[in-house]
Amino acid sequence: MRRFGAMLGAALLAGCAGMVPGGHPPLDTGVAPAPPPIAASTARAASLRPGPDIASLPIAAADAASALSAFRASCAKILYRDDTSGLTIRTDWQAPCGAAQSWTGDARQFFASQFESVIVGDGAAFATGYFEPEILGSRVRAPGYDVPIYKLPPDLVRAWPADMPESERSGRPPLGRYDESGAFVPYFERAEIEQGALAGKGLEIGWAADGIEFFFLQIQGSGLLRLPDGSVTRIGYAGQNGREYVGIGSVMRTRGLIGEGPGQYPGSMQGIVQYLREHPQEGADLMRLNKSWIFFRELNTDGPLGSLEIPVRRGDSVAVDPKFVPYGAPVFLDLDRDVADGLWIAQDTGGAIKGANRFDTFWGNGADAREIAGSMSGRGRALILLPRGTLARLTAQ
């Protein structure tokens, strides 16, 4: 979900600065960290071996049918983009995408006939969860709605600081702004924006009723605004200020504020929110440790947009590291959290989703989505499904 969102289960907020459209950081609730990534730069550089026959996997008919629908939607994008994992080339997807458009039979047979399973590295998976929050909001400032929701400011640009030597300039220039003297400086951080750095510039696209709820919506990267008349509008990631992302869950655990001990708040999103509400000044200071700020745009889609710029779907869309899983590829997860077992389609990414077999499962919106995503921290096995013949081509190279 562009630009950031979630993994409540393991990161309540980790790594927003590196996000891309559709990406999101995990919600950092201070739980056990993900396993260290495999020491390879891409899936192609990691060890690969064939997995079990797809027909032998315990995939439910309904799960396969919804995954097929999500895969079909992905084809509009994956046929025309390069795969940074090194596993596939564009033409590999022509056969399964062609079959998907006209498939009317058992969806399980579709996946069994069109794909082969591959184990990347040791196949040991770690999965968290994200969701689309719904908060109270208004299109105009009104009593009870005084937390600004900003669109992307025109003075947020990429450039090299004048004092940076040419030899150190590599990759994309950093985000920042030009100050009154013409010097390129870092963009305003969260505390400065909350204190009015962008006020009066006509950047407000809406107003939220609750600063804490809006903070977590920024972590997720998109969400729903429930307007005073009861209608709902969707907002999505438009950009980020380029400042450091800090996961407050980990900070709170380090400080002994959350955990399982006497007097501590529960180490969950719910426990973190409870602390923030009961300690407003300390809570505001904690949230401002996360200097990252997300800017939004209004969406007219029927779901939040992932990195593929198509709506992500509950129970079907998963965020991956595209250097290890091709966008659009089906993924089979078998975890110690049974609710996340089954087929997923790689349609999103996130700033904290790094390395092989690291996943962030999407759970839609609503109270149950918040609950599942907020407690999701699953470990188990992962299979990447690639178009038939891919592994033979790779091993022959």
Side-chain angles (χ1 to χ4, degrees), residues 39 64 70-71 113 127 136 149 178 227 247 270 284 307 345 358 364 370:
F71 173 76
S113 64
L136 297 178
I149 303 170
Y178 289 96
L227 304 178
Q270 292 75 13
S307 300
I345 306 299
R358 176 71 174 93
R370 182 183 183 118

Side-chain angles (χ1 to χ4, degrees), residues 214-297:
F214 180 59
F215 176 81
F216 286 103
L217 188 149
Q218 286 193 306
I219 299 303
Q220 298 295 327
S222 71
L224 301 172
L225 299 182
R226 177 69 64 177
L227 304 178
D229 64 1
S231 64
V232 172
T233 188
R234 173 171 282 114
I235 58 174
Y237 175 90
Q240 191 257 357
N241 63 347
R243 302 304 296 269
E244 307 88 324
Y245 180 86
V246 173
I248 66 170
S250 296
V251 174
M252 294 176 69
R253 183 170 291 276
T254 298
R255 295 181 180 180
L257 301 175
I258 59 173
E260 290 72 46
Q264 291 182 316
Y265 287 77
S268 63
M269 182 178 178
Q270 292 75 13
I272 291 174
V273 170
Q274 182 183 356
Y275 176 88
L276 297 177
R277 295 203 183 284
E278 294 180 1
H279 303 82
Q281 185 55 59
E282 295 89 342
D285 292 341
L286 275 167
M287 288 187 287
R288 286 177 175 177
L289 292 176
N290 176 25
K291 297 181 180 182
S292 174
W293 184 275
I294 305 304
F295 301 102
F296 291 95
R297 56 177 169 149

Side-chain angles (χ1 to χ4, degrees), residues 58 71 104 156 174 184 193 328:
F71 173 76
T104 58
L156 176 62
F184 184 73
I193 294 174

Side-chain angles (χ1 to χ4, degrees), residues 164-181:
M164 177 178 286
E166 289 285 346
S167 60
E168 297 180 12
R169 301 183 181 187
S170 63
R172 299 178 73 191
L175 286 166
R177 64 185 178 89
Y178 289 96
D179 66 12
E180 295 78 2
S181 69

Side-chain angles (χ1 to χ4, degrees), residues 63-97:
D63 180 25
S66 61
L68 173 54
S69 178
F71 173 76
R72 186 181 291 123
S74 298
C75 285
K77 301 293 183 177
I78 62 177
L79 286 170
Y80 306 102
R81 64 184 297 159
D82 293 329
D83 172 17
T84 58
S85 76
L87 296 179
T88 67
I89 55 179
R90 296 182 186 183
T91 54
D92 290 335
W93 298 100
Q94 291 177 352
C97 282

Side-chain angles (χ1 to χ4, degrees), residues 92-109:
D92 290 335
W93 298 100
Q94 291 177 352
C97 282
Q101 301 311 311
S102 58
W103 194 272
T104 58
D106 188 334
R108 290 172 295 187
Q109 181 57 31

Side-chain angles (χ1 to χ4, degrees), residues 1-66:
M1 293 158 59
R2 168 118 183 129
R3 265 56 333 276
F4 321 67
M7 278 146 245
L8 284 137
L12 204 161
L13 319 203
C16 192
M19 297 183 206
V20 296
H24 52 82
L27 280 177
D28 170 19
T29 49
V31 301
I38 293 173
S41 58
T42 66
R44 185 69 184 92
S47 64
L48 303 173
R49 55 194 170 95
D53 186 80
I54 294 171
S56 70
L57 300 177
I59 301 173
D63 180 25
S66 61

